[in-house]
Structure formats: structure tokens, C-alpha cells
Amino acid sequence: MTPTLAAHIPGILAPEFEADPYSSYSLMRDEAPVYYDDQLQAYVLSRYADVARAFKDPAFTNRNYEWQLEPVHGRTIVQMDGREHATKRAIVAPSFRPKVLFGQLAPIIETNAVRLVDEFVARGGCEYSSEFSRLYPINVTADMMGLPVEDLETFRGWYTAIIDFLGNLTGDEDIAAAGIRARDAMAEYMLPIIADRRENPGDDLLSTLCTAEVDGTRMSDEEIKSFASLLLTAGGETTDKVLTSLVAKLVEHPDQLADVRRDRSLIAAALAETLRVAPPLHMVMRQTAEEIDIAGTSIPEGSTVICLIASANRDPATFAAPDCFDIHRTDVDAAREFSGASKQLAFVHGRHFCVGSLLAKQEVEVGINVLLDRTSDIRLSEGFVPVEEGVFTRAPRRLLLDLTPAT
């Protein structure tokens, strides 16, 4: 018998779920760790052990991305497997290694952070999400790719439409159509630039991808465009949301904010803990290549499986006091959380561990350092309470802060 969700547990599309997914996650882990969602036509996993297995076991494939990501991004490395995946990842990965991030990209990242922070600190306050976290990652990515600053507003429009498409769990036709239009416009914009970089390479990321090869294999123009689309949108969206969630968590825990201000090495721990307790991406999908037994439930071959990252990251079987934000927790090692040895699952596990994890870490560390350098105090605006929003991706939509400039 196919397990279903009991009536007292709000499912993923229920309004009560979006208002408080963490209560649903707790009930799912306890009562329905594997169940079938009729509306989403997918099996849902909520326990850490099961989600981690789905990320590592080759019986869980990325074939779902053929209909989930490919319509707006094209075919990217996240849906490749085997030798193809290994080769294309080997082409991309060197651009995201520490030597590059802490070397040639460091000035790009810091310049963008300083420019945005300096605009609002002098005013003594900001709406942090719209004035910093939504702008900063996509600005950095555009600079990395050598794209003109005057086109940033266009990129943000594509970014919004494609992110809405990816989170369109209800299948809204207008949202789907807007995503497809953004895909076509981005392709029309990017492909001539990629062709030009092949003929006239520079020192930007697009040029690097155009000229790099592994075992005689290069990325095609279409593959580079698809990777650029993925980096601009999926990478930008997750960094955007974790930046907002991280600052929200710290200002809600002023003792921990004070600790970070005194010891900047704790920024990495604060980021790792935010990724655990409030990951920007709450769920990812996989597709089974064969019939699989999970927790006594048989999942047929070809099934879509929704892996609830945010639930797994709060599983009490894996983390102590899992609902508490604690940058000093001893059951997570921040030094490992941005590599394939991570414990929290926000970057996924296994062969598809996020290639941009160190870029996200570098952007967050630089951005938070600049914010702390420019201020002596950061607090929530009087009467304001951050409220998380979203189902597929999630973070406070607004974060009103009062700031005291550093003297």
C-alpha cells in the first residue's frame, strides 16, 4: 500500500505549510518519513538518513531536471552523470577553487560589497534584502563573467522570472510562460557574447570556459550559456536568501552577533549554521532509476522523489537541539561544511555537491565583514519581525535594520 500523509499534517502545497514548514517537517519525520503526494505526484523524504542516501546512491538520478531545469536553463552539469558529468565538472571547477576566489576574484567580490553597503550605512538603516542581498550575488556573477554593468537590471528581470519558474509547484501557466520568455531572451543575449569570447578571450569566467578543455573536450556554446544561466539564477538565488537569513538570525541572537563581531573567523560557523537551520533551498528532486526500498516503502522505478533538505537538517537523530540557531554547536564542523565532507545538506552530497559552495562562502564572508566593518551596531528596526516566506526557496522577504555607523 502506498503511504500517504495523514490529514493533520499540512502537505507541501497547503497554506499552513508555507506559514510554518518546520512543524510539518517534524510530524513528517515522526509519522510519515516516506509518503506519496498526489498533488505533486512525487514521493517525499524527510529524514536525514534517507535524504542523504538519495544524494549519494546512484539509483537516485537527476533525470527529473530534464523537465524541471532544462526548459529554462538548457542542459547543465547538474543533470549529467558518469564520464560526461566528470569531464564537464572538471572544466568548470577550477574557476571556483580557493586560489581563484581568494586571488583574481577577491577584488570583484569586495568592490561590489563595499559599494552597496556604503550606500545605506550612512543613512543609518536599510531594507537589507532589497538593498543588498538581492543585488550583491548577481552583481558579482555578472562582473565575474565580464558582462556590462548597464545590463544588470535586465539580468535581474531574467533572474526573477526563472526563479519563479523553478518554484512553480502549482504549475501556474503565466509563471511558466514568463520563465520561457526569460530563457529565450537570455539565450539571444548570451550566445553572441560567448561566440565573441571564443574569438577574443579575456580574463573573465566566460572566456575561461570558452578556452578550457579536459581530455580534449570543451564546453559547447550552448553548455556555457546554460551554465551561465544556472550561475546567474540558481546560484544568485541561494546566496541572496542565505545572506538575508544569516543576518536575520544574527540580529535575532545579539549575543552571537557580538561574538561574530569580536571574532570574524566565526562568520563561517554562522553561515554553516544558517545553511543548516534555514537553508535557502528547502527541497530538491531526484528520479529513481530502479525500484528502491526506503524505510520499508517501495518506491517504483521512474518515480519523482522530493528530498526535504530543510527537514533533514533539523532531524534530531543527527543534530542536537536541531531547531536552535547556535553558531557554537559542536556537532557541526564549520571547516568541513563547504566541501563534500559537509554534514548539513544545503549543498547536497555526493557527486553533485554544489560546485559554487566556496564562491557562496567567499561572497558571504566578504559581505558580512564589510557590513561589520562599516557599523558599530546592527539591530532590527523597532517593531519589525522578520518573517520567512517561500516553499521551494525560503527566507525573509524583508529585513528592516537600524544601523549605527562605525566611528
Side-chain angles (χ1 to χ4, degrees), residues 39 66-68 84 91 143 152 155 158 164 171-172 222 229 338 354 382 402 407:
Q39 288 181 283
E66 292 176 5
W67 53 264
Q68 188 183 13
E84 181 186 29
I91 292 173
D143 272 357
L152 282 175
F155 303 150
W158 295 336
D164 287 347
D172 184 288
E222 181 65 27
S229 173
F338 307 94
C354 178
E382 186 175 356
D402 290 336
T407 55

Side-chain angles (χ1 to χ4, degrees), residues 216-295:
T217 298
R218 291 190 176 190
M219 295 178 74
S220 68
D221 289 8
E222 181 65 27
E223 287 172 333
I224 294 172
K225 183 271 298 178
S226 296
F227 182 77
S229 173
L230 187 69
L231 190 62
L232 274 168
T233 54
E237 169 77 353
T238 51
T239 306
D240 162 3
K241 284 189 161 40
V242 80
L243 275 164
T244 299
S245 293
L246 170 56
V247 172
K249 291 297 183 186
L250 287 175
V251 295
E252 290 178 316
H253 298 82
D255 55 331
Q256 297 186 58
L257 175 58
D259 291 342
V260 171
R261 188 179 285 279
R262 283 192 299 268
D263 180 0
R264 301 298 178 84
S265 69
L266 289 172
I267 294 175
L271 172 56
E273 179 64 349
T274 302
L275 288 166
R276 186 195 68 79
V277 78
L281 186 63
H282 268 224
M283 59 192 74
V284 300
M285 296 181 185
R286 292 290 185 261
Q287 185 169 313
T288 54
E290 59 190 59
E291 184 177 342
I292 299 170
D293 183 85
I294 293 280

Side-chain angles (χ1 to χ4, degrees), residues 31 43 75 137 157 161 182 235 243 289 357 366 371 381 398:
E31 302 179 34
Y43 287 83
R75 195 163 184 271
L243 275 164
S357 61
V366 170
L371 182 64
S381 297
R398 300 175 70 244

Side-chain angles (χ1 to χ4, degrees), residues 213-397:
E213 66 176 71
V214 171
D215 297 332
T217 298
R218 291 190 176 190
M219 295 178 74
S220 68
D221 289 8
E222 181 65 27
E223 287 172 333
I224 294 172
K225 183 271 298 178
S226 296
F227 182 77
S229 173
L230 187 69
L231 190 62
L232 274 168
T233 54
E237 169 77 353
T238 51
T239 306
D240 162 3
K241 284 189 161 40
V242 80
L243 275 164
T244 299
S245 293
L246 170 56
V247 172
K249 291 297 183 186
L250 287 175
V251 295
E252 290 178 316
H253 298 82
D255 55 331
Q256 297 186 58
L257 175 58
D259 291 342
V260 171
R261 188 179 285 279
R262 283 192 299 268
D263 180 0
R264 301 298 178 84
S265 69
L266 289 172
I267 294 175
L271 172 56
E273 179 64 349
T274 302
L275 288 166
R276 186 195 68 79
V277 78
L281 186 63
H282 268 224
M283 59 192 74
V284 300
M285 296 181 185
R286 292 290 185 261
Q287 185 169 313
T288 54
E290 59 190 59
E291 184 177 342
I292 299 170
D293 183 85
I294 293 280
T297 296
S298 179
I299 301 178
E301 176 184 350
S303 298
T304 299
V305 178
I306 296 176
C307 304
L308 296 177
I309 292 172
S311 175
N313 276 354
R314 292 193 180 209
D315 190 335
T318 304
F319 301 98
D323 295 324
C324 296
F325 177 80
D326 180 8
I327 66 173
H328 301 293
R329 66 170 52 248
T330 58
D331 55 355
V332 171
D333 180 359
R336 298 160 58 96
E337 290 308 300
F338 307 94
S339 72
S342 68
K343 188 174 183 180
Q344 57 79 25
L345 300 176
F347 291 127
V348 185
H349 272 185
R351 64 199 181 282
H352 286 286
F353 182 83
C354 178
V355 71
S357 61
L358 288 178
L359 173 61
K361 178 177 183 285
Q362 176 75 341
E363 288 180 348
V364 170
E365 288 186 330
V366 170
I368 297 301
N369 266 307
V370 169
L371 182 64
L372 294 176
D373 286 343
R374 298 298 200 273
T375 61
S376 60
D377 188 39
I378 306 170
R379 58 203 174 276
L380 292 173
S381 297
E382 186 175 356
F384 179 78
V385 177
V387 177
E388 288 187 3
E389 298 182 36
V391 173
F392 185 67
T393 60
R394 188 172 177 87
R397 186 175 298 273

